[in-house]
Structure formats: C-alpha cells, structure tokens
Amino acid sequence: MLLIRCPYCEEERPELEFRNAGEAHIARSANISGESDDDFEKFFFIRSNPKGIIYERWRHMHGCARFFNAVRDTVTDKFIMTYKAGEPKPSKLPGVAK
Amino acid sequence: MSGAFRIPSAGRLKQAKTARFSFDGQSYAGIEGDTLASALLANGVHLVGRSFKYHRPRGILSAGAEEPNALVEIKRDAARKTPNVRATVQELYDGLAAQSQNRWPSLSFDVGAVNDLASPLFSAGFYYKTFMWPKAAWKSLYEPKIRAAAGLGVSPDQPDPDHYSSRYAHCDVLVLGGGAAGIAAALAAAETGVRVILADEQAEFGGSLRFETGARIDGQDGFAWAQAAIARLQGMDNVRVLSRTTAFGYYAQNFVGLVERISDHLSAPGHDLPRERLWQVRAKRVVLASGAIERHMVFADNDRPGIMLAGAARTYLNHYGVAVGKNVGVYTANDSAYAAAIDLKKAGVNVAAIVDLRDHPTGPVIDEARALGIEVNFGRAVIRAGGKLRVSSMTVQPKNGGGERTIPVDAILMSAGWTPSVHLFSQSRGKVAFNDETKRFVPGTYAQDCASVGACNGTDGLSATIDEAYAAGEKAAKDADAKTAKGNKPKVDASESWSRGMLGAAPGAGPDTTVKAFVDFQNDVTAKDIRQAVHEGMRSIEHVKRFTTNGMATDQGKTSNMHGLAIAAETLGKPIPEVGLTTFRAPYTPVTFGAIVSHARGPLFDPTRKTAIHRWAEAQGAVFEDVGQWKRAWYFPKAGDDMHAAVDRECVAVRKTAGLFDASTLGKIEVVGPDAAKFMELLYTNPWEKLEPGRCRYGIMLREDGFIYDDGVVGRLAPDRFHVTTTTGGAPRVMNHMEDYLQTEFPHLNVWLTSITEQWAVIAVQGPKSRDIIAPLVEGIDMSDEALPHMSVREGKICGVPTRLFRMSFTGERGFEVNVPADYGQAVWEALWAEGQKHGAAAYGTEAMHVLRAEKGYIIVGQDTDGTVTPNDAGLDWAVGKKKADFVGIRGMARPDLVAKGRKQLVGLKTKDPKVVLEEGAQIVEDPKQAIPMKMIGHVTSSYWSENCGRSIALALVAGGRDRMGDTLYVPMPNGVIEVEVSGMVFFDETGGRLNG
C-alpha cells in the first residue's frame, strides 16, 4: 500500500484514504460553449497516459476531502511530490534527473 | 514409542511428551515438537501423496516451507478441513488427523497412476494440444475429466467456523527470517532502542542452526545461542518477536504482509483464539534474512519416496532425532551433503555410498567422510533410482559413460547446491544479479529501503553472515533514527561453509534421454518437458514457465526455478542471465482466505444502512430490497398477499386516498453561501438565479460529456441556501462531482457543501388525502394551495419538531415530503401513520413507488437512463436553461453525435395485449420477420403491471422514438413475439390535474 502525502494535511497517509481523480492540469475553458469540436475533444477525451512521470489529481477522500495534485512515476508507482490544487505544474521534481 | 526410526541419542525433542496422530486412518505416535513429516518419518512412512498429473507416488522432499510433495489434508471436523497442508511445516498435536490426497482408491494403489504410463499424452502443454478436437468437447468432456483427475486437495464445502484477526503495526526495523542472520540483525537494531519486529515462519527460531551441528556462537552450540538470543529479544520492550509467522508479501514503501499461525498447532484450540492473525506492517527499514533453499538433483525417477534433500535429512536427524532410512545413499554436487552423511553415519545409520558429480573435490568434510569409512565416488552420477512406492536402489555410472553399478538403498539424500531465497527481495521490486562464479542470483539493485543479509544475499559462512547481518541491523536502526548504538556483536567460534553446486539436469537425464527426471515435483514437470517447450518455440522463460507450468504450483518453484531456467538456457544456447528469472509473486507460501478476509465477512462484509423508520417497517412485515448499502422497504404484504397483490393494493390506495413512503434514503446536499445560486447554475442545466426562496425546481445534472448524471428536486430555502436532493444511489458521486468543481474549477465561488442525507428522515405523504393527514400535525405553515402551491418548500414544525416541508410529488398526486431530523423520523412517521389510518392511507414500498412514477412517466436516472442519454433523449429539454452561458455539460450536449437525428429517445410502450407485461431489458425491433441477428432499435427500460391503468405499461429507449408515436413495434422473446404500440410517457392523468386534486 502506497503512502501519499496530503499537501493540506501535511502528512503521509495510506493509499486507502485517497481516490485518484484523473489527469491534472487540464483546464476547463471559461468559454467552454464556444469551443470547437476538436478543442473539446482534446479537453474531455484525450489523456496523456505516459510511461514515466504523470501529473494527476487525487482526493483525500477519507481525510480532509480536498483535491490536490501529485506527480507519480507510472513505472515504479512512486509518488515524487504532491502540491495543492491551483498551484502551477512544478518545473523541478525532487530526485528526478531531467 | 514414537517410531522405529527415532534415534534416542539424537535430536532436541523431549521423548516424554507423546502425541498420537493418524494418517489415512492408521494410528501412529509422535513426540510433541514433531512436524507431521518428522513424525511420519519416525514411523518409517515416506509415501505420503500422489503427484498432480501422473499420480506418481511421492514422499517427503524437504523439512520446510519449500515442500512440493508432502501435501496432505488436515481435518479437525467436517467444517475444518484444510487441503494442501505441507506436512513439513504442520506441527504435530495430539489427535491430529491427516489424509493423503489425489489418489483413488488408496495411496498405495491409485488407479490414476495409469496417467504415468500414458505420460507421452501429458507432456508439456498437453492441454493446449491433445484435447483440441472436437471443440465443443473441451467444456463438456475434457476439462471436467482433466480437472477431476488432476488437482490436489479438495476445498472444504462448509463455511469456515474459525475466526481470524488482523493488526496494523509500525516499526523502525522489520527483520524477516529468524536464523543466525536475522537474529544478529535484530539484536544489533534492538540494542539501539528502536522498535524492532522479528518474524520467522518456524515454531522455533534458528533457521539452519537447527541442523548445522558444526556452528558455535559465543561459546555455545548455534541453536542454543539462537534460543538464548530470542529470549533476550523477547524481554526487550522495543522488540516484538513473532514465531510461526510468514512474511508472504512485500509491497510498496516497506509495507509487508505477515501471517501468524496461532492455533493450527494446538490439539484443542480455545474459541477465544483466532486461527491466524494478519499483520500489515509498515517499517522504516527492512532486513531480509530469508536464507537459502537447497536444490535437488535432476535425474531419472528422482521423485521416488525416500529421495530427499540432504539438508532435510540432516534436520530430521539433528533436530527431530529421526533417521530417514537405515541404508542411505548420497548424491551431491557440493559439500553440504557430506555433512548429512557424516551426521547419519555417526548416529549409526549405514551410508551405502556418496556419489559426487565433481571430479576432484577436496576439503575437510570429504576427508572426514572417508575417515568414517564411507565410500566416496567422484565424477559419477546417479542415473536412475529403483523402487516404486519407496526407493530401493540407486544406479551409478561414471558421468561420461561407462559401466553401471546398482547400489541397494532405502533413501537417497541429494544436494545440487543452495539457492538464495530472493523471493521477498524480488517482490520489493529489487532487481537480482547473476553471480557467474557461484551460479546464483543474488540481490542486485534495491528498489526500497531494505537490506539482504546472510544466505539470501549469497553470503557464505556463519562468520561472514553474522558480521554482515549485525552491521546491517545497526545501519537500519541508525537510518531509522536510532540515537546510540551499544551492542555486542555475537562471536562465531566455529561454522560450516559451502557454496557452488550445479544447475540443471545431471548426466543421465540430458537432452538425448527421455527419462522422467523431475524439475518441478508439484506440477510434474520434467527436464524433457522444458526442452520440449523450447523446441516448440518458447523463447522467453515466462513462456516456458506457462507452457510447462514449471514453478506455477503452490510451492512457487522454490526448488525448481533455477533448474528449469538452466535447462531452458542450455537448450536455447544462451547464458543464464540472458534468459532471466521469472517474476516472484506474493504470496511466498499459500495464505488462507480467512486471514485476508478476517472479520470482513457476513454482516460485516459491507456496512448496512437503515433508515430511521426501518424498525417500524420491519414490525409491519415489510419485505426489504438492497439499494446500494441501504435496506429499503420493497412492499408491505398482508396475510396471503404475494408481491403483486401487495403492490397493486398500495398503488390503488395512494391514488384513492393516500400513501406513506419512507424516502429517507434520498441523497440530500445543502448548498450554502453567497454564491450558492451561481454554483447551482453551473452544476445543473436549469436556471436558478430567479427561483424564489420557498419554491422548488426539478433539476438535472449532467457530466461534462452532456449525458444525464443525476436528477432531483431542489428547494431554495433562502437566497443563499439550497436543499438539493439526489438519487439514492447517486448521493456520494454527486457530492464528489460538486466538490470537484467547487474546489478545482470554480474555487472563486463562496459556497459550502454539506451532505445532509443522514441528518433528515424523509416521509413522503402522497394522495388526495395527503394534506388532510399532515395538516393537523403542522405548526407555522399555511397549508393552503395559495400559500403552499405544488413545488414549494416551507420551514416550520410538525409534531413539535423542526421540519422542511416540501410540497412535491413523485406520484402525480397531491403530495408532500416531510423532512424531519432523523432522530424524530420514526416518531413523526408513527404520528402521520395514526392520522393516515383515519383516512384509509397505506404504507407503500419502493416497488409501488416505481409503478406510480412510471404511470406518470417520471424517469429514474440509472434505470431509464444509462449514461448515454441526454436531456433531449429523455424528453427533458424543458429543464435546460436556454439562455445560460455555461453549465457542466453545455458543450458536451452540443457534440455532433448528441444532436444527430435518430438518437434513442425515451417513449412509452403499450402492449397490444394489455395483460402482457414486458421484460425490462427486452430488445425492440421494427420487423420481427427479419433474419437473425435482427436490427435492434431500442430496449425496454421500465415495465410494470399498472392496476390503476388496468393494463401493463412500459418505458423504452427507441431510436427516433418520438417520431414513431402510434407505430407498432415488436419485442421478440423466447416464447414468441410481443406486439407493442409506441405511446407518450404519461399513462395516467395526462393533464396533471391530480397534483392539486
């Protein structure tokens, strides 16, 4: 069972308390009804599914109930870091060679 | 007497404590401290089972968890039958009853052994090839026959009466394996004061010190040192010592699963004792001290009972005081088997000969064997074992060919070398590395905060092992935050040491032979099978494994993996590291379902949710249905009623007088804050800004893709406060959906969301008499139609307690939903019930609720919609705010496919024969005479008998449905085609006059 650090609780808690909520940093357009079909397809259907570093949303469901962002390596399953919702995508990842 | 093969001068068991046991109905005596295997061997019993595929007689190979052969059923009573118990780890208790498996009619005469003669049919991958034709016969004939003939134990057929427990634990240093290495590491860590857990699968700690008579530590015998060290560790507050505890799985971030066997070794376990305890341990550092497992020699008929690992024979002698034979032969490719021969010889057992595959080995053990007068042969191979139910001879030949010589023996001790037990390391996602010099895989690259020490790390010799383990224990403690280290490293005075050996088939079982030289005993895989798999095109070791099933049995290939790999590599003409190991998977040894499930079974498997009115409904004889975790009253039968009679009566009563319905399970969310209306505008299709406080609206929630996600009536209690209802099953996901948008997409909105499902009990009172029933109990609310019109909400009191009183209807009748704090739910229900009795009201359940709403064409999300239905498809366009610039789903709803013509639309269906009730889920076609497969244009979503309409009614999703009004369609069923007419969705009171009736 993984340990996940909730950036709001500032604590590592077991995976059981969390729910994955899909890929992070996919912004909903402020003018969504004016979006083209292609743009809407990219926003709603297309996900990156990388082998390696993924940016994703998690929710501390059975804890503070906050949504936050996490960087995880899909190969090792390791969480590299977590940060609050709304914060920008981190440019430097601890312990990860560029 | 505890067996003819017991040697009183040998072993550590106290002769005084006898334990009686039975095997296949025959009674025997053993000694307390025996395993079932040692007690059987003490009685001269080697034949204990039949093999998986060929039904060959099998004996006891090992003295530990790696045992592939000696699998038995242990039966305490009819419900406590455990199949596939390894006799080598089952501790003996007085009264133990064991049965052999996979044989009929008896162990010594087994009809299934005909498979052995027919073995050419059953070679590698036989089930992929032999039984391919005719195709239909696989399911009906071949598979059931093969399953009956193969397989090992039989599962118990009664519920498990035992109970199990489960614990979480945290520690600084977790040491897995309690041999010399594990104990040394635990001592080093424990003496620094950190929290230590030490676990070992055996009843007694010591590991290989159980048989290594040459080991001396701190001036005492190795095993005695181990017991003293364990006693010291047990006395330390910061240490938990777990015996009979197997680490079965090593998961992410040093999370390790252990299972502790608590009562399987007891003669009469008390009911207060769990059978097993699951430990889920999170450790800062893990020290792996899992030891090494001896390999057998791969030669013809190496599976005859009486042929066993040399280290096992030594364990039986030195620990249990049992001689495994009277005249034993030894077949080896390394030094360790010599020690077994020497110990047995000294105990008075005749050692017929040592056959050593090596050409010119030298060393003290060889000299000692010779000095004891044991015949030692170098450069020779055992090419065959004689005997059937028990080995009777070994045939020896120079390994490069030459004259054969047959030596009579009653046991053969073999050793091809020792395989480091890297299972847990590998499970931790560490990568093993092949040491070409010693021909073994050892831990290479670590993936977690752990260290391997001793034999599992390929470290040879007790002295080097203790140095390494002690240092690793100290370091683990330091890394996990130890303050000071102040221990005394144990001093090794004498030790045994060996390494090397051989991998693969021995001479006489090479590629030019067709003999049965077993690699994997439990799955009956021979050297020939592995070569055949390669010849038939398997290139990857993973494919070879699956094709031959080598290493796939419950022993997980503990003795067979390396041999199988070496034979595959040789056949492929590749070096071993290029072929690579198969993946080690949890569990290390089988784990009971009971230990994993623990208390989470029966009523504790999943929480049951009951409403405040549940007990009243129960007392009234309600039949309940499960809706998610909720128990809901389904219908209220009176004496002699079947379900239909009850539902018909309830439906009629609601429309005639009134009905009471427990709607407490409805999801309820309070949306509060200055921006509450703005938030509602974004989450629901409807407009909310202009909804007056005190009024309600039917809301539809979409997902971003434009499909209906949930629905419910929403009341605006105040400008900044909405009381939102959701479907019963949808409440958690709607809350999650709202929170998601609030926290991440619309965080600028000042809104709070609170789940209030559990806080409010909801009593629906529906029917022409509903106001008459409620009014006398209500204070502070004007109940007139002018003051409280349909779709409005007021706060006031009922029966003296606060209420949120909704005027709304899910039946089409004048109706109310009385929300009261859940603690008062039953009291208010009972008061309303008493009032209702004056008017002839009935209680109705979820089935009548479904029928009544279908009569009015009110949809149920999840029944009439399935996640691909838009508001337009459901005929709910009116509920979508046309002037709104944004709401979740606004863009998805406009996708080309969602606005295309011919989409499935929700319509009503009337069967031509009003008595016929359609089946929900039935498919609909235009032309019943077309060729199969017919073109299906829709399906029935809801279907009931409506007593109020005097006919059946149905809702259906039909392609272009609203353009087909009055058309005849067809529902083909197994018993014939049903004709239906497409209709509107409202079957009763089309004008809606009864809402104010």
Side-chain angles (χ1 to χ4, degrees):
Chain A
M1 199 187 338
L2 296 168
L3 289 174
I4 302 175
R5 183 183 165 81
C6 173
Y8 295 98
C9 299
E10 299 183 339
E11 235 191 317
E12 277 199 326
R13 306 292 301 170
E15 187 186 339
L16 288 178
E17 293 183 10
F18 298 84
R19 292 285 181 279
N20 183 284
E23 195 164 345
H25 300 294
I26 297 172
R28 185 182 190 273
S29 166
N31 177 29
I32 195 164
S33 54
E35 268 193 337
S36 69
D37 284 341
D38 284 349
D39 286 344
F40 183 74
E41 182 196 29
K42 280 191 198 109
F43 158 71
F44 188 72
F45 293 105
I46 307 301
R47 294 296 179 265
S48 62
N49 192 26
K51 179 179 181 181
I53 303 295
I54 189 171
Y55 296 81
E56 55 190 6
R57 305 186 321 129
W58 283 77
R59 187 177 184 201
H60 194 186
M61 193 73 194
H62 304 290
C64 66
R66 299 294 295 267
F67 283 85
F68 60 89
N69 294 326
V71 189
R72 187 172 60 92
D73 186 328
T74 59
V75 177
T76 63
D77 237 11
K78 273 187 184 151
F79 278 79
I80 292 153
M81 65 180 293
T82 57
Y83 51 101
K84 292 176 179 173
E87 288 180 4
K89 206 169 186 169
S91 51
K92 270 189 174 173
L93 299 179
V96 176
K98 188 125 202 305
Chain B
M1 188 64 202
S2 62
F5 288 80
R6 193 80 65 177
I7 299 178
S9 60
R12 302 188 179 94
L13 310 188
K14 294 176 192 70
Q15 290 284 346
K17 295 184 181 167
T18 301
R20 309 281 320 171
F21 71 102
S22 73
F23 177 64
D24 279 350
Q26 169 90 38
S27 288
Y28 299 97
I31 303 174
E32 204 169 275
D34 262 329
T35 60
L36 176 58
S38 69
L40 284 166
L41 291 171
N43 288 281
V45 178
H46 278 258
L47 171 64
V48 291
R50 287 276 175 169
S51 73
F52 182 69
K53 195 157 80 174
Y54 302 129
H55 288 244
R56 285 169 67 102
R58 287 287 162 81
I60 294 160
L61 181 77
S62 74
E66 68 270 34
E67 179 62 35
N69 280 339
L71 304 182
V72 300
E73 177 185 284
I74 304 286
K75 184 176 175 180
R76 282 196 195 263
D77 56 43
R80 289 179 176 86
K81 273 194 315 192
T82 311
N84 299 340
V85 174
R86 285 152 295 151
T88 52
V89 299
Q90 173 64 50
E91 292 174 59
L92 196 68
Y93 55 79
D94 195 46
L96 182 143
Q99 292 275 346
S100 58
Q101 302 181 153
N102 201 28
R103 80 289 183 276
W104 184 85
S106 76
L107 188 54
S108 55
F109 176 72
D110 175 16
V111 167
V114 67
N115 283 5
D116 195 20
L117 302 174
S119 60
L121 280 179
F122 298 113
S123 65
F126 74 99
Y127 33 72
Y128 302 129
K129 299 183 293 207
T130 314
F131 302 101
M132 287 306 290
W133 187 90
K135 203 176 164 193
W138 174 253
K139 245 192 134 75
S140 61
L141 179 67
Y142 298 141
E143 192 183 2
K145 293 282 176 209
I146 293 168
R147 286 200 185 277
L152 293 163
V154 179
S155 300
D157 51 7
Q158 293 187 23
D160 184 350
D162 287 319
H163 66 100
Y164 299 78
S165 93
S166 180
R167 288 189 66 172
Y168 288 92
H170 294 261
C171 66
D172 294 304
V173 181
L174 171 64
V175 182
L176 301 173
I183 292 171
L187 283 171
E191 282 159 355
T192 68
V194 301
R195 294 169 304 160
V196 176
I197 296 177
L198 169 64
D200 190 87
E201 62 187 356
Q202 301 271 356
E204 287 172 290
F205 284 81
S208 61
L209 297 172
R210 287 197 305 165
F211 61 80
E212 277 186 27
T213 42
R216 292 194 69 78
I217 306 171
D218 287 345
Q220 44 185 337
D221 161 66
F223 187 80
W225 167 82
Q227 305 318 304
I230 290 298
R232 195 149 73 81
L233 286 166
Q234 281 168 332
M236 296 166 82
D237 290 340
N238 57 324
V239 182
R240 184 188 294 279
V241 177
L242 297 169
S243 62
R244 300 187 175 96
T245 303
T246 302
F248 64 81
Y250 194 141
Y251 305 96
Q253 287 170 289
N254 277 353
F255 188 69
V256 182
L258 316 173
V259 69
E260 181 184 8
R261 288 168 295 279
I262 295 177
S263 65
D264 271 358
H265 65 290
L266 300 177
S267 183
H271 283 298
D272 52 339
L273 275 186
R275 181 179 172 215
E276 293 176 335
R277 179 177 292 128
L278 178 72
W279 290 86
Q280 298 178 73
V281 182
R282 181 80 68 176
K284 285 188 186 158
R285 292 292 182 281
V286 173
V287 177
L288 295 169
S290 43
I293 293 170
E294 199 171 21
R295 292 186 303 277
H296 58 284
M297 296 294 286
V298 179
F299 63 100
D301 299 324
N302 58 345
D303 62 329
R304 295 305 185 198
I307 305 180
M308 63 167 54
L309 299 172
R314 220 180 154 202
T315 304
Y316 289 121
L317 179 73
N318 293 337
H319 190 75
Y320 299 101
V322 173
V324 298
K326 288 184 159 51
N327 179 37
V328 304
V330 176
Y331 183 22
T332 187
N334 80 102
D335 281 355
S336 69
Y338 281 82
I342 291 164
D343 287 353
L344 280 159
K345 179 76 179 175
K346 284 179 178 166
V349 174
N350 187 50
V351 178
I354 294 175
V355 180
D356 193 328
L357 205 53
R358 297 173 295 177
D359 289 320
H360 304 292
T362 54
V365 284
I366 294 164
D367 300 338
E368 189 180 358
R370 284 213 161 111
L372 285 166
I374 301 172
E375 179 193 328
V376 179
N377 302 284
F378 294 149
R380 276 160 213 274
V382 172
I383 56 162
R384 188 182 325 122
K388 195 138 187 107
L389 300 179
R390 174 81 185 263
V391 63
S392 60
S393 66
M394 58 181 188
T395 299
V396 181
Q397 190 185 38
K399 70 180 181 188
N400 298 318
E404 294 181 8
R405 173 184 159 213
T406 297
I407 305 170
V409 291
D410 62 0
I412 299 175
L413 318 186
M414 53 185 172
S415 180
W418 296 75
T419 308
S421 185
V422 294
H423 301 72
L424 290 169
F425 169 78
S426 187
Q427 284 181 25
S428 79
R429 295 198 173 189
K431 292 230 178 344
V432 292
F434 191 71
N435 182 320
D436 211 38
E437 193 192 334
T438 57
K439 301 285 177 213
R440 57 196 180 186
F441 282 103
V442 292
T445 312
Y446 282 82
Q448 300 205 35
D449 291 328
C450 67
S452 296
V453 296
C456 74
N457 196 34
T459 303
D460 298 315
L462 189 57
S463 199
T465 289
I466 294 221
D467 284 353
E468 177 181 72
Y470 198 84
E474 278 184 325
K475 181 171 189 306
K478 191 160 175 281
D479 292 347
D481 285 337
K483 287 102 206 152
T484 50
K486 53 162 170 73
N488 291 311
K489 189 168 77 179
K491 187 172 170 298
V492 176
D493 307 313
S495 97
E496 301 179 1
S497 177
W498 51 76
S499 62
R500 312 297 171 93
M502 62 125 22
L503 295 171
D512 50 336
T513 64
T514 57
V515 298
K516 279 206 187 75
F518 285 91
V519 174
D520 182 323
F521 292 105
Q522 199 173 112
N523 268 354
D524 270 350
V525 180
T526 63
K528 181 175 149 278
D529 290 328
I530 291 172
R531 292 186 196 110
Q532 187 196 328
V534 173
H535 290 141
E536 292 191 8
M538 309 302 140
R539 289 291 176 271
S540 146
I541 193 66
E542 296 285 356
H543 290 160
V544 171
K545 168 180 168 173
R546 280 155 187 82
F547 194 65
T548 60
T549 71
N550 190 59
M552 286 174 70
T554 61
D555 65 329
Q556 293 270 290
K558 290 186 179 62
T559 49
S560 67
N561 275 345
M562 288 306 293
H563 281 322
L565 172 58
I567 295 166
E570 187 191 10
T571 316
L572 283 163
K574 283 185 184 174
I576 284 174
E578 260 181 54
V579 178
L581 269 180
T582 53
T583 310
F584 291 93
R585 297 190 195 283
Y588 175 70
T589 51
V591 178
T592 62
F593 282 114
I596 293 167
V597 170
S598 192
H599 292 293
R601 59 178 186 168
L604 297 181
F605 175 68
D606 204 24
T608 301
R609 300 174 79 183
K610 294 176 180 171
T611 73
I613 297 142
H614 184 89
R615 267 185 291 176
W616 184 90
E618 215 168 29
Q620 294 287 315
V623 177
F624 291 88
E625 69 167 336
D626 291 333
V627 181
Q629 292 170 330
W630 287 105
K631 294 278 176 203
R632 299 198 72 183
W634 195 11
Y635 57 95
F636 292 83
K638 288 190 172 158
D641 271 359
D642 61 7
M643 178 171 166
H644 284 288
V647 171
D648 288 351
R649 183 171 37 69
E650 291 167 20
C651 287
V652 169
V654 171
R655 300 223 184 275
K656 204 172 146 206
T657 54
L660 268 67
F661 175 71
D662 179 5
S664 303
T665 66
L666 274 188
K668 295 174 279 294
I669 298 167
E670 207 162 90
V671 178
V672 183
D675 298 322
K678 275 193 193 126
F679 180 73
M680 290 298 293
E681 290 273 341
L682 285 165
L683 268 289
Y684 282 81
T685 61
N686 320 62
W688 300 96
E689 295 275 19
K690 289 185 179 151
L691 184 72
E692 292 285 325
R695 296 307 305 262
C696 303
R697 184 160 283 167
Y698 168 72
I700 298 178
M701 171 178 272
L702 306 183
R703 294 184 310 205
E704 205 69 85
D705 58 10
F707 294 127
I708 295 176
Y709 192 52
D710 202 74
D711 70 350
V713 169
V714 177
R716 191 171 194 173
L717 297 169
D720 62 351
R721 187 176 296 260
F722 290 83
H723 179 116
V724 177
T725 66
T726 75
T727 55
T728 294
R733 65 164 188 258
V734 169
M735 186 72 181
N736 187 65
H737 179 83
M738 284 184 170
E739 280 286 355
D740 192 349
Y741 278 96
L742 180 59
Q743 290 183 33
T744 66
E745 295 294 349
F746 313 131
H748 56 281
L749 297 181
N750 190 356
V751 173
W752 286 89
L753 304 172
T754 310
S755 166
I756 52 169
T757 304
E758 302 273 356
Q759 277 62 40
W760 294 95
V762 184
I763 303 160
V765 185
Q766 303 274 312
K769 299 285 183 196
S770 54
R771 182 168 54 184
D772 301 339
I773 293 168
I774 297 172
L777 305 175
V778 171
E779 294 165 54
I781 300 172
D782 182 345
M783 298 284 288
S784 68
D785 281 348
E786 296 69 41
L788 187 66
H790 179 58
M791 294 303 263
S792 51
V793 58
R794 295 288 179 274
E795 290 180 276
K797 287 196 164 182
I798 187 165
C799 306
V801 304
T803 182
R804 288 178 180 178
L805 181 64
F806 284 73
R807 168 103 189 256
M808 57 180 279
S809 177
F810 200 43
T811 59
E813 300 297 320
R814 169 188 293 278
F816 300 88
E817 289 194 0
V818 181
N819 287 252
V820 292
D823 286 350
Y824 301 110
Q826 185 167 342
V828 173
W829 173 282
E830 284 174 359
L832 285 166
W833 178 249
E835 283 298 322
Q837 292 305 287
K838 299 175 189 165
H839 302 277
Y844 65 102
T846 50
E847 188 65 19
M849 177 270 281
H850 277 108
V851 177
L852 292 162
R853 64 88 202 176
E855 288 171 352
K856 293 295 300 176
Y858 299 150
I859 66 163
I860 289 188
V861 170
Q863 175 166 345
D864 302 300
T865 71
D866 59 5
T868 67
V869 176
T870 66
N872 183 281
D873 296 341
L876 296 170
D877 251 354
W878 58 267
V880 180
K882 301 294 178 295
K883 293 179 192 153
K884 291 174 66 171
D886 195 6
F887 58 83
V888 174
I890 190 168
R891 179 61 187 86
M893 229 169 59
R895 288 185 290 149
D897 281 353
L898 272 63
V899 294
K901 283 218 175 307
R903 286 188 60 80
K904 287 182 183 171
Q905 295 170 329
L906 209 53
V907 292
L909 290 184
K910 288 179 177 167
T911 50
K912 291 282 166 83
D913 177 352
K915 296 261 181 289
V916 173
V917 180
L918 293 168
E919 269 189 45
E920 287 174 356
Q923 297 293 320
I924 299 162
V925 301
E926 265 181 325
D927 171 13
K929 295 197 179 72
Q930 61 186 302
I932 293 172
M934 298 185 186
K935 189 183 178 211
M936 297 174 285
I937 60 167
H939 67 275
V940 179
T941 61
S942 293
S943 175
Y944 310 94
W945 171 257
S946 166
E947 188 70 13
N948 288 313
C949 299
R951 59 158 302 124
S952 73
I953 58 169
L955 300 177
L957 279 166
V958 177
R962 288 201 291 273
D963 294 331
R964 294 178 189 266
M965 284 301 144
D967 288 4
T968 299
L969 296 175
Y970 302 89
V971 179
M973 296 300 289
N975 302 327
V977 175
I978 301 168
E979 265 186 85
V980 298
E981 185 190 311
V982 180
S983 75
M985 289 165 64
V986 183
F987 300 92
F988 189 84
D989 183 30
E990 279 188 58
T991 59
R994 297 179 68 92
L995 285 168
N996 294 304

